[in-house]
Amino acid sequence: MPPIDSSPPAPDRGALAAFLAPTGRWRTVDIVTCAVLAVAFSIVFWAWNFVWAGIDPLFKFFPPLSAVIYGLWLIPAVLAPLIVRKAGAGIFTEGLAALMSLLLGSPYGITVIYQGLLQGLGGDLAFASGRYRRYGVPIAMLGGALAGFGGTMWDVLYWYPTFDLWAFKVPYVAIAMVSGAIVAGLGSKALVKAMQPTGVLDRFPAGRERARI
């Protein structure tokens, strides 16, 4: 009998390639598109900071409820992966949007960049869980929820470390995740659907799936 080979199997490079195949290489158009989205939403973020500050007093009766509008900050973390379908699209776009909002004058200083990267990571993790092959409503909503989780975890650890866990932190994170799922998740799907007839997405897989989105 031939000797039994007890050494661990070599990594299956073919399987790894198949896992990453749907994302492919980043093209120039992918980078430009993510950058354009980041610049556009950085302006939205800058304006939304004033909205956040303005409505905050309205939620004094239950402060965690302020997270109900959190989802708008999370849209790039979901919209970019839905369009360009590349690993890291959420991190790149959300992080760049945060950087641009800082340059526009974010009241949160450089910490907004760290938070943006966490939000983008949350969005990307959702699409990674589907091996970058699934881009339906459930994945988009999961991306928005995870982006909300990433962003609010930064909030409760950095901005609200002394706040009560059950009275503030848990409901704040939960409400932001719901807001992310609805506003960033469903909202991003709606934006993609609205852009499809214009032809601006024709160079992306999302533009060739008009009947399925």
Side-chain angles (χ1 to χ4, degrees):
M1 290 181 62
I4 298 175
D5 185 3
S6 60
S7 60
D12 187 345
R13 298 184 183 277
L16 178 61
F19 179 86
L20 297 175
T23 64
R25 293 184 177 181
W26 279 74
R27 304 169 299 169
T28 300
V29 68
D30 299 325
I31 298 172
V32 171
T33 298
C34 287
V36 169
L37 288 174
V39 171
F41 276 96
S42 70
I43 299 173
V44 175
F45 291 173
W46 174 80
W48 204 240
N49 289 332
F50 296 102
V51 175
W52 177 273
I55 69 168
D56 190 55
L58 300 178
F59 299 110
K60 291 298 183 184
F61 68 98
F62 187 54
L65 194 57
S66 61
V68 73
I69 66 168
Y70 209 97
L72 187 136
W73 276 305
L74 312 173
I75 291 177
V78 180
L79 183 60
L82 283 176
I83 293 175
V84 306
R85 302 193 176 182
K86 298 292 188 293
I91 298 173
F92 173 66
T93 309
E94 188 79 41
L96 182 57
L99 171 61
M100 294 300 296
S101 71
L102 171 63
L103 298 178
L104 289 173
S106 171
Y108 306 109
I110 196 171
T111 64
V112 73
I113 298 177
Y114 309 139
Q115 190 163 21
L117 292 173
L118 286 173
Q119 292 168 178
L121 176 62
D124 260 308
L125 284 176
F127 294 97
S129 72
R131 298 190 176 187
Y132 293 98
R133 290 184 174 91
R134 296 167 57 192
Y135 295 91
V137 170
I139 285 290
M141 293 185 71
L142 177 61
L146 292 180
F149 178 79
T152 51
M153 285 304 294
W154 174 268
D155 284 338
V156 299
L157 294 175
Y158 185 86
W159 295 109
Y160 311 124
T162 61
F163 283 45
D164 185 86
L165 177 63
W166 296 106
F168 180 85
K169 292 181 179 180
V170 170
Y172 178 77
V173 172
I175 293 171
M177 291 180 69
V178 173
S179 177
I182 296 173
V183 178
L186 293 180
S188 292
K189 290 293 291 185
L191 286 172
V192 170
K193 186 175 182 180
M195 287 188 286
Q196 285 173 334
T198 69
V200 298
L201 302 182
D202 285 352
R203 298 186 67 181
F204 303 95
R208 298 188 289 271
E209 295 181 352
R210 301 178 184 181
R212 289 190 288 169
I213 298 181

